[in-house]
Amino acid sequence: MDQPPASRRRKIRKEVHAAAEKLNHRKSSSDPGRRGRQRGKPERRGGLPALRGPGDARQGFWPITLVLLGFTFFSATMWGGGSLGVAFRFRPDLVGIILCGSAILAVYVAGLGYVGYKSGLSTVLSAVSASVALRDAGGGAGLLTAGSAGALTVAEALTIVVGTFVSGGTQVANWTRFSGSARVAAGSTLLAFFFGNGLMIAAGAVGATVYGLSDIVEVLAAQGLLVAGVLMLFSNIWTTQDNTIYNFSVAGCHFCRTERRRLVTFVGAAAGTLLALLGMYDWLIPYMVAMGVLIPPLGGVIMADFFVRHRGRYPALGEAIVPRFNRQGLGAYAAGSLAALVIPGIPPVNGIVAAFVVYACLARLTSTTPG
């Protein structure tokens, strides 16, 4: 049988494609699951997908680590350290709290960093300040007699250490999805959040231990470093807030199902500025405690969803059904938050473990895997 002319074949192909597109549109209009899946497609914003890191953008250990270190070098973390420095003896209490709390945060974030890689989805002045404080204290021996235990419990102190950066750490997959390997994803987050966040806590704690002041600005003023301190505040807030803006825009655009990233960013910045003007500074420590209680269960749900429900492998985005609400996840998060609030022990750890276990049990009971 003779083949039709090339122009005729092209016309037939166009008609077939048009019919297929029309059929797909009808299916997606009548199937809410498919509508959810369409909403879950990766969107390109700023040249990179909002959900999945492309292969040609994968990075090595040091690029990812330096980005995360810049993220964790944050002056507000030093305020958290200052509140600990005036409440505990430097050794062994304060040192143990900083090491233990930083380890909990680092392991928690490394787990989420690994999920981010596998799924592909979405200081100098501080050292100077610590050195001046050591000199004014008469050396390391002066630190051993400073502090007044009793203002905070150990559980509260650990919660503050974790809470200083657990919110940002929970969003670490935004960067580790660009990691070149699982080792890079986990190793860079462990180093950045154990060393970077721990250093900020320690710097604030040392100054507060020596001067009896939990406000890092007052400590810098007492050391004659106020001008340098102001410069430090601007620089480290800059290196943290650019990452925060990225976090907020990605999460906000995905949550609102919009591509208007500039508007979402502006709304977030305006809300943060308004909170600052209303006196959020005075509530910083209670806020850190709240973050240390309420945020870790969210990570527990995410890890349980990835490792247990999906057995370490999410389905391709084009095949996944993305529901508006994950009721099992919400229930597990509520259980984890309640456990963090009422069960004795270390609240962040209680919340992570409880949320993970409850979600894993609910996933097993329903025994359904989306996609």
Side-chain angles (χ1 to χ4, degrees), residues 321-340:
I321 298 175
V322 182
R324 284 189 174 273
F325 298 101
N326 185 331
R327 293 180 177 84
Q328 297 170 339
L330 291 172
Y333 170 76
S337 299
L338 183 62

Side-chain angles (χ1 to χ4, degrees), residues 243-260:
N243 293 309
T244 303
I245 288 172
Y246 175 68
N247 278 340
F248 187 87
S249 62
V250 170
C253 288
H254 183 65
F255 181 80
C256 298
R257 304 295 193 264
T258 179
E259 297 184 16
R260 303 178 67 181

Side-chain angles (χ1 to χ4, degrees), residues 277-336:
L277 293 174
L278 292 176
M280 184 65 190
Y281 171 89
D282 297 325
W283 292 90
L284 192 58
I285 299 304
Y287 175 77
M288 290 180 180
V289 173
M291 292 297 98
V293 170
L294 298 177
I295 297 297
L298 179 60
V301 171
I302 293 172
M303 287 186 278
D305 184 67
F306 180 75
F307 290 111
V308 178
R309 188 174 193 183
H310 290 92
R311 297 181 177 85
R313 185 172 184 177
Y314 281 132
L317 288 176
E319 303 171 1
I321 298 175
V322 182
R324 284 189 174 273
F325 298 101
N326 185 331
R327 293 180 177 84
Q328 297 170 339
L330 291 172
Y333 170 76

